[in-house]
């Protein structure tokens, strides 16, 4: 039962020489075009999302690799080479020896120019 405010299904408009099946075919073709346009507009957004997902996956893979190697690198870490100190972060995360540089301003501290490690800020 329909409500009084419900107009019900649209009344088909009869066009001369056009059969109901042809009208349905036209309507379906129009709907297919609309759907194709929607999908086309969404395509670039999806490509961007996929590229971001691959980038995120690559970053996570690098972090996992570093985590897998961290304990082995810790065993080989040398905090001092002669009179110079080496960055613990660069060694454990990347396996690279980077020397810490003394900075006087605002407080005397040793800092790494490669990763930003600062021995005063390190907790």
């Amino acid at each position: 039962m329909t409500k009084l405010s419900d107009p019900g299904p649209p009344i088909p408009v009869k066009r001369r020489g056009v059969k109901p099946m042809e009208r349905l075919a036209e309507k379906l073709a129009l709907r297919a075009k609309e759907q194709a346009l929607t999908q086309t507009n969404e395509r670039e957004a999806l490509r961007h999302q996929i590229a971001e997902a691959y980038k995120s996956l690559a970053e996570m893979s690098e972090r996992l690799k570093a985590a897998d190697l961290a304990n082995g690198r810790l065993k080989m870490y040398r905090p001092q080479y002669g009179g110079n100190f080496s960055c613990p972060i660069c060694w454990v995360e990347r396996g690279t020896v980077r020397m810490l540089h003394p900075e006087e301003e605002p407080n005397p501290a040793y800092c790494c120019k490669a990763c930003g490690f600062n021995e005063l800020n390190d907790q």
Side-chain angles (χ1 to χ4, degrees):
M1 183 167 178
T2 61
K3 296 179 182 178
L4 293 177
S5 62
D6 184 7
I11 300 171
V13 176
K14 292 186 179 181
R15 296 186 335 217
R16 284 191 212 169
V18 180
K19 297 178 182 174
M21 296 302 276
E22 290 174 6
R23 284 194 301 268
L24 178 58
E26 289 173 5
K27 182 178 177 182
L28 295 174
L30 179 61
R31 184 62 178 97
K33 287 179 185 178
E34 290 171 353
Q35 185 63 27
L37 180 60
T38 299
Q39 294 289 353
T40 300
N41 292 338
E42 189 178 18
R43 177 178 54 203
E44 287 307 313
L46 290 171
R47 283 187 178 155
H48 178 72
Q49 289 175 1
I50 289 170
E52 289 297 316
Y54 277 122
K55 181 180 174 184
S56 178
L57 185 60
E59 290 170 358
M60 286 188 290
S61 179
E62 286 298 314
R63 288 177 28 219
L64 176 61
K65 182 179 175 183
D68 287 343
L69 297 172
N71 282 334
R73 287 181 179 157
L74 174 62
K75 292 175 186 174
M76 298 185 302
Y77 175 62
R78 290 181 53 193
Q80 195 169 4
Y81 289 84
N84 298 315
F85 296 101
S86 67
C87 179
I89 306 302
C90 288
W91 177 255
V92 172
E93 286 187 2
R94 296 182 259 323
T96 57
V97 176
R98 302 278 187 199
M99 293 302 141
L100 297 176
H101 300 279
E103 292 188 359
E104 298 299 325
E105 299 293 329
N107 296 316
Y110 283 94
C111 302
C112 179
K113 292 182 180 179
C115 74
F117 170 77
N118 181 321
E119 54 107 2
L120 284 181
N121 297 335
D122 193 51
Q123 304 300 328

